[in-house]
Amino acid sequence: MMKSKILLVLLLLAVSLPTIAVKREHRAIWMSAYVSDWPNSKVTEQNANKHKEICQHNLDTIQRNNYTTIYYHVRTMCDAMYDSKYEPWSSYISGNRGQKPAFDPLKYILEESHKRGIEVYAWMNPYRYLNSRYTDSWGSDPKNYENSHPDWLIKWNNGERTWTILNPALKEVKQRIIDVVGDLLSKYDVDGVVFDDYFYQDGLPLDMDAKWYNEYVAAGGTMGQKDWRRENVNSMVRELNAYIKATKPWVRFGIGPAGVAGSKKEVADKYGVRPSPGSDWQYNGICSDPLNWLYEGTIDFISPQVYWTIGTPNADYAQITPWWYEVAKQFNRHCYISQTLSNFEGGGFDELVRETELNRASALDEAPGTVYFPWKYVNSLRDYMNGKKTYLSPYMRMNCFHTMSLTPAVTWVSSENPGQVSNVKLNGRTLTWNGPENVRFTVYAVPNSVSLTGFHKESEYLRGISYSKSFTIPQYEKDYPEFGIADSELGNYKYAVAVLDRYGNEYAPIFVGANVVDAQKPVVTYPTKNVKVAPVFTFQWSGDATMYEICVSEDVAMKKVLVRKEVAANFIASPEVCEFEVGKTYYFSVVARDNNKRETRSEVIPFTVNVFHVVAPEDNATKCSLTPTLEWSNVGEGSVYEVTVAEDISFNKPVIVESTKAVSFVVPAYKLSGNKNYYMKVVSKTGDKTFETKAVMFTTEGIVAEAPVFVKPAVDGATMFADQKVEVAPAAGITATRVMISASTAFSPRASYSGTFENFVFSTPELSTVKMGSKYLEDGKTYYARARYSYYDDAQKTVDTEWSQAVSFVYSKNASVNDLLSEGVAIVAVDGEVRINQVAEVVEVFNAAGEMVARADNAASVKVNANGVMVVKAFIGGNLNVKKIVL
C-alpha cells in the first residue's frame, strides 16, 4: 500500500509539480560556524554588530520562506559556541580556543529566532575532540580535556591524521556529556538537542580500547567488542534521554545518523523490521545503531542523512526514505530526512521538490520532515529557469513550503492542557492576550468570508508563532505576499490566538473579542467501556464541536500516552490513530476543541483489541458436520478474508481455500471426509494490514458408506463413447473411490484397469485414455465395471465398502457429440495424423483439456504427438469446421 502511494507520487511528479499545503511538517536547517555558515568568521568587538545584522537577515529569510527550525551547531569538538561551565569557547567563533567572543552566538540566535517563532535545536557532537592533519593538541587551556582529563581520551594517528575522541566506555565520559547538556539546558531555552553521525571514529583499531573491553570481559561481560562499543553509545543515548525527560521533558532529543541502517538481515531481524535498502557501514564502522534508539524509544526523532538522489544506484532516495519512515512509524517516533545541498550547486531544484513530496507520501504518521545541510547553500544556491535567476529558498516556498507549518507534536509524552488564552485584543497591528507560561502561541488571520464553523486552524490562515503574549502582524511584502497584511486589508480578517505547548500540541483558538464558553462535552459511543473491539475499528463520539482531539494511553491516568490526534469529525478509523496490539487493554478519551470555547473532555474509556480468531468450530471440536459453517471474528469494515482448511497443521495439503468479505463460510458437500482431522485458519487483509488467526483443529462426524451406484453406464449393455467417463453417484464423507474395468466379470488384476480417486472424484478419466495392461479399449467390445468406496471408521482407520454389482457397457471409439462440418468436408485420424480431404487455411488440434497440441497453415494434414480424444478445428474457405476424433 505504502509503495503504491509512493509510486503514484513519483508518477505525478514526473508530469507536474503539485502544490500541497501541509500544516504539520518539520522544515529545518543545519547551521554551523564550523562550515562558515554563521558566524562565518571570528567574532570580535569590531565586527559584532555586522555578525548580528547578518544573523537577523538570515532569520528573516528563514522565517519568510516558511522554515520551522534551526539546528545550530553549539559543540563541534568538546568546545562551545555558548557560555559553557565545562568546555572552552570554540575557536570557530573566537579565533582561539578558550577565548571569549564579543557576544554569545547561541544566546543571540536563540533570542532572535524565538522573536520570529523559529525553533532552535542545539546541535552537538558527543565524542569528537580533535580531527587534524596538522596538530594533535588544542593547547594549554585548562578546560581542554587533554589537560584536565587526559585519561578520558582515545588518540589515534593513522600516519596521515590524528583523531581524538572521548572514550565512550567510561562512565565519567557518559556523565560529562549529560552534564554538558544539562548545563546548556539550564541556561538556554532551546527547543531541542540533536547529535549528528560522529560516534566511534571509523576504522578505530580494536586495540585502541582493548584495555577497557578486557576489563568488561573480566567482570563477566559476554558481548563481542563491536557489540560492546555499540552498547556504550546506546547507554549514553539512553541515559541522556532520561535526563532530558526528567529535566525539561518538552525538549526534543534526536540524532542524525548516517543514511542507511539495518541493511543486514540479522540486524533487522533483531529489531523486527525488514532490512533496509542500501549498505549499512555505520553499524560496524562507527558502532552506531540507530534502530536501537528507535526500538528503545530513547530519542524523539531520527534525521538520517540520506545524501543521495532519487534513482541513485544502490542508494536510491526513493527506496531508503520510505524505509526510514516505515521504521519510525513502527516505533512511534518521528523521522525528518536530512539532505545535503551539495548535490544541487548546479541547480536541479525540481529534484528537491520530488524528494519533499516523497517524504510526505512516506510519512505514515503524517509527520514528515526535511533538514537541509548546510545553511550557506540554503541561502545562496541558485539556478536559471526560463532565463531567470532563481534562488533555492523562494523556489522551495513557491513549490513546496507554500504556507507556514508546525513541527509535528510529540504525542507519546504525557502533557497536561496548560490552559487557554483569554482577553485577545487587537490594537493597530499588535495582538495581545493573556495566557499560560512556558508555551508558544499560534496566530491566525481568518478572512471575514470564512465562518467560525468553517475554520479548523488551516495552515493557509496561520500568520505566525509567538513565544510571548503579543504579536505584531507583519506588513505586506511583494516578494512574500503570504507573509504580511497591508494596512488597507487589516479589517478584512478576524484574528485568533491558540496555545501551542512546547511539545507541539495546539489547543482551541480564541478570537479577538470572543465570549468564551464551555464546549459541549463529547460522549463516547464506541468503543464502550471494556468492550472487545475488532483489530480494525472506528472510534465514535457525539458532540457539536468543529474540532476534537483523541488521546490514547496505556494507563487509566492517561500518563503513558501513545498518541494524540486532532480530527475535524466525530469519528476516526483506528489505523489512522496508531497500531494497536491485539489482546491488550488501552484507554482513550476525546477532547472537544472548538473555536472560542473552553475545552471539555469525555470520560476515559478502557477497551481491549480482540484477537482475530476462529469462532467456529472450536479448537479440538469433534463430530463436526461434513458441511459445517466456518466462522471467525470481524476485523473491520472493508476486510477481505481467506479461509483455508487443510489436512495438516502446516497447511501444505489444503482442501479448501476460499476468499470472502463475509465472516462465515458454509463448506459445500463433498469437501470433507468423515472421522478425519482438519486444520483451519483465516487471513484477513484490511488495506495494507494483514491479520491471521491461530489455527484450530476439528474432527468431522463419522459415516458408514454403502457400495457405490453407477451413473454411467446407468444400465447393462449401454454404449460408452471414447470421450465419456465411467461414473458413480457421489457419496458424502468418503476418502476415496476405486473403479475397476475389465473384459471379464472375474476382474483379474493383471487384465483389468484399476483407478483410485481421492478428493471426491467419482469418475474415471475419458475412456479413450483407459488401458487394461498395455492395451486401450477396443471398439465394439463389451466391458464390465465395478466400484467401491473407502472411508474412515471410528478409530480413523481406512475401511472399504463391498464392491458394487458389475455393470456392462459396449465401447465405441467415436466421440459422443455431433460434429460441425461443411458440405463435402471430411476429417479423419490415420496413424497419428489428422487428414482433411481439402486444404485448410488453418488446422488446429486440441486435447481434452483444451490445450493446443498441433497446428498447420495451408495444409491438408497435421502430425499429432498425443493420444486420446481430440478436437480438430479447420478453417476452409473462411468456414469453421469442427470434428472430434480419437488418436
Side-chain angles (χ1 to χ4, degrees):
M1 197 77 171
M2 181 191 69
K3 290 180 180 178
S4 300
K5 184 178 178 185
I6 294 165
L7 289 173
L8 178 60
V9 169
L10 292 177
L11 180 61
L12 291 172
L13 287 172
V15 178
S16 63
L17 300 177
T19 57
I20 302 171
V22 178
K23 173 70 178 287
R24 290 284 184 172
E25 184 170 52
H26 187 74
R27 304 168 186 164
I29 297 163
W30 296 93
M31 182 183 290
S32 175
Y34 181 54
V35 294
S36 302
D37 278 339
W38 183 85
N40 59 3
S41 63
K42 65 181 180 180
V43 177
T44 65
E45 294 292 342
Q46 292 73 28
N47 66 17
N49 287 336
K50 182 63 177 177
H51 279 303
K52 290 179 179 180
E53 289 175 8
I54 292 172
C55 180
Q56 292 190 39
H57 176 77
N58 290 345
L59 296 177
D60 286 344
T61 300
I62 290 168
Q63 179 190 25
R64 284 161 173 74
N65 285 292
N66 297 325
Y67 291 95
T68 65
T69 312
I70 295 169
Y71 294 1
Y72 186 65
H73 211 168
V74 301
R75 184 179 190 257
T76 60
M77 299 189 188
C78 297
D79 54 1
M81 277 75 162
Y82 64 98
D83 181 18
S84 172
K85 174 182 178 181
Y86 297 100
E87 295 173 336
W89 284 98
S90 174
S91 58
Y92 299 108
I93 56 169
S94 65
N96 295 298
R97 190 173 173 102
Q99 179 179 326
K100 185 177 180 179
F103 67 90
D104 182 335
L106 175 59
K107 181 180 179 183
Y108 189 78
I109 196 171
L110 183 61
E111 290 175 352
E112 292 298 318
S113 294
H114 282 184
K115 286 180 184 178
R116 294 162 174 80
I118 300 168
E119 299 175 332
V120 176
Y121 292 5
W123 168 16
M124 313 177 91
N125 296 102
Y127 299 119
R128 186 173 62 178
Y129 182 77
L130 185 143
N131 176 1
S132 177
R133 293 180 183 274
Y134 313 108
T135 182
D136 63 358
S137 171
W138 278 116
S140 60
D141 190 292
K143 284 187 175 180
N144 286 333
Y145 292 132
E146 61 196 275
N147 304 314
S148 61
H149 296 288
D151 52 319
W152 288 4
L153 300 176
I154 298 176
K155 182 186 292 186
W156 173 45
N157 188 299
N158 69 348
E160 296 182 359
R161 181 182 292 272
T162 296
W163 286 283
T164 305
I165 63 171
L166 290 173
N167 186 349
L170 300 180
K171 63 180 182 180
E172 295 87 354
V173 165
K174 201 178 305 179
Q175 186 59 50
R176 175 50 54 94
I177 293 170
I178 293 172
D179 290 342
V180 165
V181 173
D183 176 52
L184 183 143
L185 294 183
S186 70
K187 298 172 181 175
Y188 301 88
D189 189 24
V190 295
D191 302 277
V193 173
V194 60
F195 293 165
D196 60 20
D197 61 337
Y198 284 93
F199 296 99
Y200 278 87
Q201 179 58 46
D202 188 23
L204 183 70
L206 294 177
D207 61 3
M208 297 300 298
D209 57 352
K211 172 182 179 294
W212 297 276
Y213 174 67
N214 291 335
E215 290 175 358
Y216 158 79
V217 172
T222 59
M223 288 185 286
Q225 193 166 349
K226 287 293 183 73
D227 286 335
W228 169 76
R229 283 183 176 182
R230 281 185 287 272
E231 176 53 25
N232 291 334
V233 174
N234 295 341
S235 64
M236 178 273 292
V237 172
R238 191 180 302 126
E239 293 179 27
L240 176 57
N241 178 68
Y243 173 83
I244 294 172
K245 294 297 179 284
T247 306
K248 286 187 172 182
W250 60 86
V251 171
R252 303 175 194 226
F253 177 39
I255 299 180
V260 177
S263 63
K264 293 181 173 61
K265 186 177 185 302
E266 59 270 22
V267 177
D269 287 349
K270 179 166 66 172
Y271 298 112
V273 302
R274 66 181 177 90
S276 167
S279 178
D280 176 7
W281 65 271
Q282 64 180 307
Y283 188 75
N284 285 314
I286 59 176
C287 297
S288 166
D289 188 4
L291 285 175
N292 177 274
W293 316 326
L294 290 168
Y295 178 81
E296 292 191 1
T298 53
I299 55 174
D300 296 308
F301 67 93
I302 195 89
S303 186
Q305 298 174 28
V306 187
Y307 282 5
W308 309 282
T309 54
I310 294 171
T312 301
N314 303 317
D316 188 349
Y317 189 96
Q319 298 296 322
I320 294 170
T321 291
W323 180 88
W324 276 110
Y325 278 107
E326 179 183 321
V327 170
K329 169 67 173 176
Q330 179 173 332
F331 297 120
N332 196 27
R333 290 298 183 268
H334 289 157
C335 176
Y336 311 137
I337 301 294
S338 282
Q339 300 157 267
T340 179
L341 297 179
S342 61
N343 296 325
F344 302 95
E345 292 186 75
F349 298 161
D350 58 332
E351 166 72 15
L352 288 171
V353 176
R354 290 183 170 85
E355 291 175 2
T356 301
E357 295 296 345
L358 182 59
N359 294 349
R360 293 169 177 174
S362 303
L364 304 177
D365 53 0
E366 299 177 1
T370 295
V371 191
Y372 290 138
F373 173 83
W375 158 246
K376 61 186 176 185
Y377 284 172
V378 177
N379 192 41
S380 65
L381 284 186
R382 60 185 183 272
D383 194 6
Y384 286 88
M385 298 180 179
N386 300 319
K388 185 178 179 181
K389 182 166 64 175
T390 302
Y391 283 89
L392 174 63
S393 284
Y395 180 86
M396 294 303 293
R397 173 173 53 82
M398 289 185 288
N399 288 282
C400 275
F401 307 145
H402 311 98
T403 62
M404 294 184 66
S405 69
L406 305 179
T407 287
V410 176
T411 59
W412 50 87
V413 177
S414 176
S415 58
E416 299 293 331
N417 184 336
Q420 288 180 282
V421 299
S422 61
N423 197 30
V424 183
K425 296 179 180 180
L426 177 64
N427 184 8
R429 305 189 69 89
T430 301
L431 284 161
T432 58
W433 57 86
N434 298 329
E437 301 300 321
N438 192 35
V439 299
R440 299 164 294 173
F441 303 90
T442 49
V443 178
Y444 292 89
V446 183
N448 291 334
S449 58
V450 177
S451 67
L452 287 183
T453 56
F455 170 61
H456 300 97
K457 298 183 291 185
E458 290 87 351
S459 61
E460 61 189 290
Y461 307 130
L462 181 61
R463 290 293 178 158
I465 298 169
S466 177
Y467 281 75
S468 67
K469 297 171 188 175
S470 67
F471 180 80
T472 300
I473 301 165
Q475 282 282 359
Y476 173 82
E477 299 178 20
K478 68 175 183 177
D479 290 338
Y480 303 96
E482 303 300 323
F483 177 68
I485 299 175
D487 288 337
S488 60
E489 298 290 324
L490 282 175
N492 295 334
Y493 297 86
K494 42 186 175 281
Y495 301 91
V497 179
V499 170
L500 178 70
D501 71 20
R502 300 300 293 271
Y503 302 92
N505 301 297
E506 190 182 23
Y507 296 86
I510 306 299
F511 282 80
V512 171
N515 178 29
V516 179
V517 298
D518 289 342
Q520 183 185 91
K521 184 177 179 179
V523 176
V524 172
T525 55
Y526 192 83
T528 53
K529 278 187 177 180
N530 298 312
V531 73
K532 288 188 175 182
V533 299
V536 177
F537 62 97
T538 300
F539 291 98
Q540 300 173 58
W541 56 90
S542 62
D544 63 359
T546 59
M547 184 74 73
Y548 295 92
E549 180 189 75
I550 183 170
C551 180
V552 180
S553 179
E554 293 182 312
D555 67 317
V556 69
M558 306 297 284
K559 297 296 184 183
K560 298 179 180 178
V561 176
L562 291 175
V563 67
R564 299 171 62 169
K565 189 176 182 69
E566 284 193 336
V567 54
N570 292 64
F571 60 89
I572 185 171
S574 61
E576 296 181 49
V577 179
C578 67
E579 296 281 349
F580 290 102
E581 183 181 335
V582 295
K584 184 174 180 177
T585 297
Y586 296 90
Y587 302 83
F588 85 101
S589 64
V590 179
V591 172
R593 183 166 290 161
D594 214 346
N595 303 325
N596 297 329
K597 293 182 180 180
R598 286 181 288 272
E599 296 186 352
T600 57
R601 182 183 293 273
S602 73
E603 65 176 320
V604 175
I605 303 295
F607 67 94
T608 302
V609 180
N610 200 7
V611 176
F612 181 40
H613 66 284
V614 173
V615 175
E618 295 181 356
D619 196 18
N620 296 311
T622 59
K623 298 182 180 180
C624 296
S625 167
L626 297 177
T627 56
T629 299
L630 310 179
E631 300 177 56
W632 49 91
S633 60
N634 189 3
V635 167
E637 185 177 350
S639 298
V640 177
Y641 305 98
E642 183 178 87
V643 55
T644 304
V645 178
E647 296 178 355
D648 64 315
I649 188 63
S650 299
F651 290 87
N652 292 324
K653 298 178 180 179
V655 295
I656 296 171
V657 179
E658 184 73 19
S659 181
T660 178
K661 292 184 178 180
V663 291
S664 64
F665 171 71
V666 180
V667 176
Y670 313 121
K671 288 289 187 180
L672 304 180
S673 298
N675 270 329
K676 187 170 181 177
N677 297 336
Y678 288 97
Y679 299 87
M680 172 192 168
K681 70 175 181 179
V682 185
V683 175
S684 164
K685 292 187 177 179
T686 308
D688 60 352
K689 301 183 184 304
T690 299
F691 302 94
E692 182 173 321
T693 66
K694 179 183 176 182
V696 300
M697 188 192 82
F698 65 94
T699 306
T700 50
E701 62 187 348
I703 67 162
V704 177
E706 302 291 336
V709 175
F710 278 100
V711 175
K712 291 182 181 180
V715 296
D716 279 327
T719 299
M720 296 287 290
F721 294 93
D723 59 345
Q724 292 182 325
K725 303 174 181 179
V726 171
E727 184 177 347
V728 299
I734 66 163
T735 58
T737 301
R738 184 180 177 193
V739 178
M740 294 187 72
I741 299 174
S742 178
S744 166
T745 56
F747 291 97
S748 169
R750 292 187 177 182
S752 301
Y753 164 82
S754 180
T756 299
F757 311 106
E758 298 178 339
N759 300 319
F760 296 96
V761 174
F762 296 102
S763 63
T764 66
E766 289 187 356
L767 291 176
S768 63
T769 66
V770 168
K771 288 183 178 181
M772 292 188 298
S774 61
K775 296 181 179 180
Y776 289 102
L777 302 187
E778 297 179 23
D779 186 39
K781 189 171 181 176
T782 297
Y783 293 93
Y784 301 89
R786 69 176 183 177
R788 71 181 181 189
Y789 297 131
S790 299
Y791 63 97
Y792 288 139
D793 65 11
D794 290 342
Q796 294 189 328
K797 293 183 178 180
T798 300
V799 295
D800 298 321
T801 66
E802 297 293 329
W803 285 106
S804 67
Q805 286 189 342
V807 61
S808 66
F809 65 89
V810 178
Y811 175 71
S812 171
K813 70 177 183 178
N814 297 319
S816 61
V817 298
N818 295 326
D819 299 325
L820 177 64
L821 296 174
S822 300
E823 186 176 354
V825 175
I827 301 175
V828 297
V830 179
D831 298 330
E833 189 174 75
V834 174
R835 295 182 183 178
I836 309 171
N837 65 345
Q838 299 180 33
V839 173
E841 292 94 61
V842 179
V843 182
E844 297 175 335
V845 184
F846 299 86
N847 64 17
E851 301 167 330
M852 184 184 295
V853 294
R855 174 190 166 96
D857 296 330
N858 299 314
S861 65
V862 58
K863 185 70 175 177
V864 181
N865 296 317
N867 295 319
V869 176
M870 304 288 166
V871 176
V872 181
K873 294 182 180 181
F875 291 88
I876 300 174
N879 295 319
L880 173 63
N881 295 267
V882 180
K883 185 174 177 62
K884 276 194 174 184
I885 61 173
V886 179
L887 289 170

